[in-house]
mmCIF file of all heavy atoms in Angstrom:
data_model
loop_
_atom_site.group_PDB
_atom_site.id
_atom_site.type_symbol
_atom_site.label_atom_id
_atom_site.label_comp_id
_atom_site.label_asym_id
_atom_site.label_seq_id
_atom_site.Cartn_x
_atom_site.Cartn_y
_atom_site.Cartn_z
ATOM 1 N N ARG O 19 3.759 -9.244 -1.459
ATOM 2 C CA ARG O 19 4.958 -9.409 -0.579
ATOM 3 C C ARG O 19 5.494 -10.851 -0.649
ATOM 4 O O ARG O 19 6.622 -11.081 -0.190
ATOM 5 C CB ARG O 19 4.569 -9.089 0.825
ATOM 6 C CG ARG O 19 4.325 -7.584 1.080
ATOM 7 C CD ARG O 19 4.238 -7.254 2.498
ATOM 8 N NE ARG O 19 3.802 -5.877 2.783
ATOM 9 C CZ ARG O 19 4.617 -4.830 2.768
ATOM 10 N NH1 ARG O 19 5.872 -4.965 2.420
ATOM 11 N NH2 ARG O 19 4.146 -3.620 3.008
ATOM 12 N N HIS O 20 4.734 -11.774 -1.221
ATOM 13 C CA HIS O 20 5.272 -13.152 -1.362
ATOM 14 C C HIS O 20 5.850 -13.414 -2.750
ATOM 15 O O HIS O 20 6.393 -14.475 -2.964
ATOM 16 C CB HIS O 20 4.107 -14.162 -1.133
ATOM 17 C CG HIS O 20 3.821 -14.379 0.334
ATOM 18 N ND1 HIS O 20 2.900 -13.532 1.019
ATOM 19 C CD2 HIS O 20 4.311 -15.265 1.207
ATOM 20 C CE1 HIS O 20 2.856 -13.978 2.289
ATOM 21 N NE2 HIS O 20 3.637 -15.003 2.444
ATOM 22 N N GLN O 21 5.842 -12.364 -3.606
ATOM 23 C CA GLN O 21 6.516 -12.552 -4.935
ATOM 24 C C GLN O 21 8.017 -12.219 -4.785
ATOM 25 O O GLN O 21 8.303 -11.161 -4.231
ATOM 26 C CB GLN O 21 5.843 -11.599 -5.971
ATOM 27 C CG GLN O 21 4.321 -11.761 -6.049
ATOM 28 C CD GLN O 21 3.855 -13.188 -6.184
ATOM 29 O OE1 GLN O 21 4.302 -13.873 -7.129
ATOM 30 N NE2 GLN O 21 3.018 -13.658 -5.227
ATOM 31 N N PRO O 22 8.860 -13.107 -5.298
ATOM 32 C CA PRO O 22 10.270 -12.914 -5.074
ATOM 33 C C PRO O 22 10.768 -11.549 -5.494
ATOM 34 O O PRO O 22 11.633 -10.953 -4.819
ATOM 35 C CB PRO O 22 10.890 -13.994 -5.922
ATOM 36 C CG PRO O 22 9.835 -15.114 -5.991
ATOM 37 C CD PRO O 22 8.516 -14.330 -5.966
ATOM 38 N N GLU O 23 10.287 -11.026 -6.609
ATOM 39 C CA GLU O 23 10.825 -9.763 -7.131
ATOM 40 C C GLU O 23 10.231 -8.521 -6.390
ATOM 41 O O GLU O 23 10.659 -7.400 -6.687
ATOM 42 C CB GLU O 23 10.586 -9.632 -8.647
ATOM 43 C CG GLU O 23 9.157 -9.431 -9.088
ATOM 44 C CD GLU O 23 8.369 -10.745 -9.289
ATOM 45 O OE1 GLU O 23 8.580 -11.655 -8.524
ATOM 46 O OE2 GLU O 23 7.583 -10.780 -10.234
ATOM 47 N N LEU O 24 9.237 -8.783 -5.525
ATOM 48 C CA LEU O 24 8.546 -7.615 -4.926
ATOM 49 C C LEU O 24 8.714 -7.590 -3.394
ATOM 50 O O LEU O 24 8.456 -6.545 -2.754
ATOM 51 C CB LEU O 24 7.015 -7.681 -5.205
ATOM 52 C CG LEU O 24 6.670 -7.781 -6.699
ATOM 53 C CD1 LEU O 24 5.121 -7.900 -6.818
ATOM 54 C CD2 LEU O 24 7.116 -6.565 -7.447
ATOM 55 N N LYS O 25 9.139 -8.701 -2.799
ATOM 56 C CA LYS O 25 9.048 -8.786 -1.340
ATOM 57 C C LYS O 25 10.092 -7.850 -0.638
ATOM 58 O O LYS O 25 9.769 -7.494 0.559
ATOM 59 C CB LYS O 25 9.314 -10.193 -0.874
ATOM 60 C CG LYS O 25 10.684 -10.792 -1.214
ATOM 61 C CD LYS O 25 10.791 -12.237 -0.762
ATOM 62 C CE LYS O 25 12.176 -12.804 -1.032
ATOM 63 N NZ LYS O 25 12.213 -14.243 -0.526
ATOM 64 N N GLU O 26 11.127 -7.407 -1.270
ATOM 65 C CA GLU O 26 12.041 -6.540 -0.599
ATOM 66 C C GLU O 26 11.827 -5.042 -0.800
ATOM 67 O O GLU O 26 12.570 -4.179 -0.332
ATOM 68 C CB GLU O 26 13.451 -6.872 -1.062
ATOM 69 C CG GLU O 26 13.921 -8.308 -0.787
ATOM 70 C CD GLU O 26 13.935 -8.616 0.683
ATOM 71 O OE1 GLU O 26 14.183 -7.731 1.461
ATOM 72 O OE2 GLU O 26 13.707 -9.785 0.996
ATOM 73 N N LEU O 27 10.734 -4.716 -1.531
ATOM 74 C CA LEU O 27 10.464 -3.303 -1.926
ATOM 75 C C LEU O 27 9.798 -2.556 -0.785
ATOM 76 O O LEU O 27 9.142 -3.119 0.045
ATOM 77 C CB LEU O 27 9.616 -3.253 -3.186
ATOM 78 C CG LEU O 27 10.168 -3.946 -4.455
ATOM 79 C CD1 LEU O 27 9.167 -3.805 -5.612
ATOM 80 C CD2 LEU O 27 11.483 -3.361 -4.862
ATOM 81 N N MET O 28 9.912 -1.219 -0.829
ATOM 82 C CA MET O 28 9.059 -0.353 -0.037
ATOM 83 C C MET O 28 7.697 -0.327 -0.777
ATOM 84 O O MET O 28 7.581 -0.434 -1.998
ATOM 85 C CB MET O 28 9.663 0.992 0.147
ATOM 86 C CG MET O 28 11.049 0.980 0.856
ATOM 87 S SD MET O 28 11.702 2.612 1.115
ATOM 88 C CE MET O 28 10.693 3.136 2.491
ATOM 89 N N TYR O 29 6.670 -0.032 0.033
ATOM 90 C CA TYR O 29 5.277 -0.101 -0.516
ATOM 91 C C TYR O 29 4.526 1.189 -0.300
ATOM 92 O O TYR O 29 4.625 1.809 0.725
ATOM 93 C CB TYR O 29 4.492 -1.240 0.148
ATOM 94 C CG TYR O 29 4.754 -2.623 -0.469
ATOM 95 C CD1 TYR O 29 5.966 -3.234 -0.451
ATOM 96 C CD2 TYR O 29 3.677 -3.243 -1.151
ATOM 97 C CE1 TYR O 29 6.198 -4.456 -1.059
ATOM 98 C CE2 TYR O 29 3.957 -4.498 -1.777
ATOM 99 C CZ TYR O 29 5.170 -5.088 -1.690
ATOM 100 O OH TYR O 29 5.434 -6.265 -2.309
ATOM 101 N N GLY O 30 3.759 1.540 -1.362
ATOM 102 C CA GLY O 30 2.851 2.706 -1.301
ATOM 103 C C GLY O 30 1.448 2.358 -1.837
ATOM 104 O O GLY O 30 1.374 1.380 -2.616
ATOM 105 N N TYR O 31 0.475 3.141 -1.506
ATOM 106 C CA TYR O 31 -0.852 2.952 -2.056
ATOM 107 C C TYR O 31 -1.249 4.256 -2.782
ATOM 108 O O TYR O 31 -0.998 5.380 -2.310
ATOM 109 C CB TYR O 31 -1.909 2.748 -0.987
ATOM 110 C CG TYR O 31 -1.900 1.381 -0.313
ATOM 111 C CD1 TYR O 31 -2.132 1.260 1.052
ATOM 112 C CD2 TYR O 31 -1.635 0.242 -1.039
ATOM 113 C CE1 TYR O 31 -2.205 0.007 1.713
ATOM 114 C CE2 TYR O 31 -1.698 -1.050 -0.412
ATOM 115 C CZ TYR O 31 -1.918 -1.111 0.951
ATOM 116 O OH TYR O 31 -1.992 -2.363 1.535
ATOM 117 N N PHE O 32 -1.914 4.091 -3.959
ATOM 118 C CA PHE O 32 -2.530 5.198 -4.676
ATOM 119 C C PHE O 32 -3.979 4.911 -4.793
ATOM 120 O O PHE O 32 -4.391 3.893 -5.422
ATOM 121 C CB PHE O 32 -1.890 5.352 -6.057
ATOM 122 C CG PHE O 32 -2.461 6.565 -6.812
ATOM 123 C CD1 PHE O 32 -1.805 7.712 -6.828
ATOM 124 C CD2 PHE O 32 -3.625 6.414 -7.568
ATOM 125 C CE1 PHE O 32 -2.289 8.806 -7.513
ATOM 126 C CE2 PHE O 32 -4.118 7.520 -8.270
ATOM 127 C CZ PHE O 32 -3.507 8.692 -8.268
ATOM 128 N N GLY O 33 -4.834 5.669 -4.165
ATOM 129 C CA GLY O 33 -6.271 5.367 -4.122
ATOM 130 C C GLY O 33 -7.065 6.485 -4.790
ATOM 131 O O GLY O 33 -6.696 7.663 -4.636
ATOM 132 N N ALA O 34 -8.097 6.129 -5.561
ATOM 133 C CA ALA O 34 -8.971 7.081 -6.197
ATOM 134 C C ALA O 34 -10.408 6.850 -5.739
ATOM 135 O O ALA O 34 -10.830 5.734 -5.576
ATOM 136 C CB ALA O 34 -8.894 6.938 -7.716
ATOM 137 N N SER O 35 -11.103 8.003 -5.481
ATOM 138 C CA SER O 35 -12.517 7.900 -5.056
ATOM 139 C C SER O 35 -12.671 6.983 -3.836
ATOM 140 O O SER O 35 -11.968 7.105 -2.846
ATOM 141 C CB SER O 35 -13.367 7.467 -6.234
ATOM 142 O OG SER O 35 -14.745 7.550 -5.939
ATOM 143 N N THR O 36 -13.531 5.976 -3.931
ATOM 144 C CA THR O 36 -13.745 5.076 -2.811
ATOM 145 C C THR O 36 -12.450 4.220 -2.500
ATOM 146 O O THR O 36 -12.280 3.812 -1.420
ATOM 147 C CB THR O 36 -14.953 4.163 -3.046
ATOM 148 O OG1 THR O 36 -14.798 3.602 -4.363
ATOM 149 C CG2 THR O 36 -16.223 4.869 -2.983
ATOM 150 N N GLY O 37 -11.672 4.031 -3.545
ATOM 151 C CA GLY O 37 -10.441 3.289 -3.381
ATOM 152 C C GLY O 37 -9.491 3.978 -2.456
ATOM 153 O O GLY O 37 -8.684 3.384 -1.779
ATOM 154 N N ALA O 38 -9.619 5.293 -2.348
ATOM 155 C CA ALA O 38 -8.733 6.041 -1.395
ATOM 156 C C ALA O 38 -9.104 5.686 0.032
ATOM 157 O O ALA O 38 -8.200 5.627 0.893
ATOM 158 C CB ALA O 38 -8.883 7.602 -1.652
ATOM 159 N N ALA O 39 -10.395 5.524 0.297
ATOM 160 C CA ALA O 39 -10.772 5.132 1.679
ATOM 161 C C ALA O 39 -10.240 3.789 1.984
ATOM 162 O O ALA O 39 -9.736 3.502 3.100
ATOM 163 C CB ALA O 39 -12.319 5.090 1.750
ATOM 164 N N ALA O 40 -10.278 2.790 1.037
ATOM 165 C CA ALA O 40 -9.718 1.497 1.217
ATOM 166 C C ALA O 40 -8.260 1.593 1.461
ATOM 167 O O ALA O 40 -7.629 0.902 2.339
ATOM 168 C CB ALA O 40 -10.020 0.598 0.052
ATOM 169 N N ALA O 41 -7.511 2.428 0.717
ATOM 170 C CA ALA O 41 -6.087 2.549 0.817
ATOM 171 C C ALA O 41 -5.733 3.068 2.235
ATOM 172 O O ALA O 41 -4.762 2.596 2.844
ATOM 173 C CB ALA O 41 -5.527 3.497 -0.230
ATOM 174 N N LEU O 42 -6.489 4.028 2.729
ATOM 175 C CA LEU O 42 -6.185 4.560 4.052
ATOM 176 C C LEU O 42 -6.524 3.592 5.148
ATOM 177 O O LEU O 42 -5.790 3.477 6.110
ATOM 178 C CB LEU O 42 -6.943 5.906 4.225
ATOM 179 C CG LEU O 42 -6.356 7.075 3.433
ATOM 180 C CD1 LEU O 42 -7.357 8.179 3.262
ATOM 181 C CD2 LEU O 42 -5.069 7.543 4.032
ATOM 182 N N LYS O 43 -7.589 2.840 5.011
ATOM 183 C CA LYS O 43 -7.909 1.836 6.027
ATOM 184 C C LYS O 43 -6.860 0.733 6.053
ATOM 185 O O LYS O 43 -6.515 0.254 7.133
ATOM 186 C CB LYS O 43 -9.301 1.283 5.791
ATOM 187 C CG LYS O 43 -10.452 2.199 6.132
ATOM 188 C CD LYS O 43 -11.786 1.459 6.204
ATOM 189 C CE LYS O 43 -11.868 0.656 7.477
ATOM 190 N NZ LYS O 43 -13.247 0.201 7.779
ATOM 191 N N ALA O 44 -6.436 0.333 4.884
ATOM 192 C CA ALA O 44 -5.440 -0.685 4.788
ATOM 193 C C ALA O 44 -4.109 -0.180 5.365
ATOM 194 O O ALA O 44 -3.383 -0.919 6.063
ATOM 195 C CB ALA O 44 -5.196 -1.161 3.319
ATOM 196 N N ALA O 45 -3.759 1.067 5.083
ATOM 197 C CA ALA O 45 -2.521 1.663 5.629
ATOM 198 C C ALA O 45 -2.591 1.696 7.166
ATOM 199 O O ALA O 45 -1.618 1.490 7.874
ATOM 200 C CB ALA O 45 -2.308 3.056 5.071
ATOM 201 N N ALA O 46 -3.765 2.043 7.708
ATOM 202 C CA ALA O 46 -3.926 2.052 9.154
ATOM 203 C C ALA O 46 -3.738 0.640 9.739
ATOM 204 O O ALA O 46 -3.121 0.493 10.803
ATOM 205 C CB ALA O 46 -5.318 2.621 9.533
ATOM 206 N N GLU O 47 -4.228 -0.325 9.019
ATOM 207 C CA GLU O 47 -4.113 -1.686 9.472
ATOM 208 C C GLU O 47 -2.640 -2.181 9.453
ATOM 209 O O GLU O 47 -2.169 -2.867 10.394
ATOM 210 C CB GLU O 47 -4.942 -2.638 8.613
ATOM 211 C CG GLU O 47 -4.928 -4.105 8.953
ATOM 212 C CD GLU O 47 -5.721 -4.404 10.200
ATOM 213 O OE1 GLU O 47 -6.578 -3.615 10.613
ATOM 214 O OE2 GLU O 47 -5.498 -5.485 10.751
ATOM 215 N N LEU O 48 -1.919 -1.774 8.417
ATOM 216 C CA LEU O 48 -0.542 -2.273 8.218
ATOM 217 C C LEU O 48 0.529 -1.476 8.877
ATOM 218 O O LEU O 48 1.706 -1.926 8.934
ATOM 219 C CB LEU O 48 -0.309 -2.441 6.699
ATOM 220 C CG LEU O 48 -1.144 -3.498 5.960
ATOM 221 C CD1 LEU O 48 -0.862 -3.442 4.466
ATOM 222 C CD2 LEU O 48 -0.878 -4.854 6.535
ATOM 223 N N GLY O 49 0.166 -0.339 9.330
ATOM 224 C CA GLY O 49 1.187 0.468 10.098
ATOM 225 C C GLY O 49 2.340 0.893 9.263
ATOM 226 O O GLY O 49 2.220 1.268 8.062
ATOM 227 N N ASP O 50 3.514 0.774 9.835
ATOM 228 C CA ASP O 50 4.762 1.259 9.156
ATOM 229 C C ASP O 50 5.256 0.358 8.049
ATOM 230 O O ASP O 50 6.336 0.629 7.517
ATOM 231 C CB ASP O 50 5.852 1.552 10.181
ATOM 232 C CG ASP O 50 6.244 0.339 11.011
ATOM 233 O OD1 ASP O 50 5.839 -0.748 10.651
ATOM 234 O OD2 ASP O 50 7.078 0.491 11.939
ATOM 235 N N THR O 51 4.498 -0.677 7.718
ATOM 236 C CA THR O 51 4.931 -1.484 6.527
ATOM 237 C C THR O 51 4.403 -0.919 5.241
ATOM 238 O O THR O 51 4.714 -1.371 4.176
ATOM 239 C CB THR O 51 4.449 -2.944 6.683
ATOM 240 O OG1 THR O 51 3.022 -2.969 6.676
ATOM 241 C CG2 THR O 51 4.983 -3.570 7.925
ATOM 242 N N ILE O 52 3.556 0.149 5.320
ATOM 243 C CA ILE O 52 3.150 0.922 4.194
ATOM 244 C C ILE O 52 3.829 2.304 4.341
ATOM 245 O O ILE O 52 3.735 2.988 5.374
ATOM 246 C CB ILE O 52 1.620 1.106 4.104
ATOM 247 C CG1 ILE O 52 0.941 -0.212 3.854
ATOM 248 C CG2 ILE O 52 1.226 2.066 2.934
ATOM 249 C CD1 ILE O 52 1.352 -0.953 2.572
ATOM 250 N N ASP O 53 4.596 2.657 3.280
ATOM 251 C CA ASP O 53 5.447 3.816 3.407
ATOM 252 C C ASP O 53 4.950 5.144 2.917
ATOM 253 O O ASP O 53 5.486 6.204 3.239
ATOM 254 C CB ASP O 53 6.763 3.512 2.676
ATOM 255 C CG ASP O 53 7.435 2.263 3.261
ATOM 256 O OD1 ASP O 53 7.932 2.302 4.426
ATOM 257 O OD2 ASP O 53 7.404 1.150 2.593
ATOM 258 N N ALA O 54 3.874 5.144 2.090
ATOM 259 C CA ALA O 54 3.272 6.391 1.593
ATOM 260 C C ALA O 54 1.915 6.074 1.012
ATOM 261 O O ALA O 54 1.653 4.986 0.510
ATOM 262 C CB ALA O 54 4.192 7.060 0.560
ATOM 263 N N VAL O 55 1.033 7.077 1.090
ATOM 264 C CA VAL O 55 -0.305 6.979 0.480
ATOM 265 C C VAL O 55 -0.591 8.263 -0.300
ATOM 266 O O VAL O 55 -0.321 9.369 0.211
ATOM 267 C CB VAL O 55 -1.415 6.785 1.553
ATOM 268 C CG1 VAL O 55 -2.785 6.766 0.882
ATOM 269 C CG2 VAL O 55 -1.173 5.561 2.371
ATOM 270 N N VAL O 56 -1.135 8.093 -1.481
ATOM 271 C CA VAL O 56 -1.662 9.211 -2.245
ATOM 272 C C VAL O 56 -3.149 8.976 -2.620
ATOM 273 O O VAL O 56 -3.486 7.887 -3.040
ATOM 274 C CB VAL O 56 -0.847 9.483 -3.527
ATOM 275 C CG1 VAL O 56 -1.481 10.592 -4.408
ATOM 276 C CG2 VAL O 56 0.593 9.852 -3.202
ATOM 277 N N SER O 57 -3.975 10.011 -2.412
ATOM 278 C CA SER O 57 -5.363 9.932 -2.757
ATOM 279 C C SER O 57 -5.633 10.965 -3.826
ATOM 280 O O SER O 57 -5.304 12.096 -3.761
ATOM 281 C CB SER O 57 -6.214 10.276 -1.497
ATOM 282 O OG SER O 57 -7.505 10.655 -1.825
ATOM 283 N N ARG O 58 -6.298 10.500 -4.938
ATOM 284 C CA ARG O 58 -6.730 11.383 -6.030
ATOM 285 C C ARG O 58 -8.257 11.482 -6.038
ATOM 286 O O ARG O 58 -8.969 10.495 -6.315
ATOM 287 C CB ARG O 58 -6.319 10.817 -7.420
ATOM 288 C CG ARG O 58 -6.844 11.573 -8.600
ATOM 289 C CD ARG O 58 -6.478 11.002 -9.920
ATOM 290 N NE ARG O 58 -6.996 9.692 -10.166
ATOM 291 C CZ ARG O 58 -8.249 9.411 -10.572
ATOM 292 N NH1 ARG O 58 -9.135 10.394 -10.757
ATOM 293 N NH2 ARG O 58 -8.659 8.145 -10.781
ATOM 294 N N GLY O 59 -8.772 12.690 -5.842
ATOM 295 C CA GLY O 59 -10.226 12.875 -5.817
ATOM 296 C C GLY O 59 -10.894 11.868 -4.899
ATOM 297 O O GLY O 59 -11.949 11.314 -5.203
ATOM 298 N N GLY O 60 -10.268 11.614 -3.796
ATOM 299 C CA GLY O 60 -10.682 10.507 -2.895
ATOM 300 C C GLY O 60 -11.785 10.866 -1.947
ATOM 301 O O GLY O 60 -12.155 12.004 -1.774
#
């Protein structure tokens, strides 16, 4: 979010396996600043 070319974008997480748990916990922490989450075999 501090990179000039990225700071204005909408954000999503794609998590796999244990990474999906991290993606969901991070999304819970960040609230509506994360716009979508996808979990693969999570």
Side-chain angles (χ1 to χ4, degrees):
R19 290 192 188 278
H20 282 87
Q21 307 309 302
E23 70 270 40
L24 305 177
K25 65 181 182 179
E26 301 298 331
L27 302 180
M28 299 183 76
Y29 275 66
Y31 286 145
F32 182 97
S35 189
T36 50
L42 287 162
K43 287 195 74 167
E47 180 75 19
L48 294 175
D50 60 8
T51 64
I52 295 299
D53 302 290
V55 177
V56 173
S57 162
R58 170 184 65 81

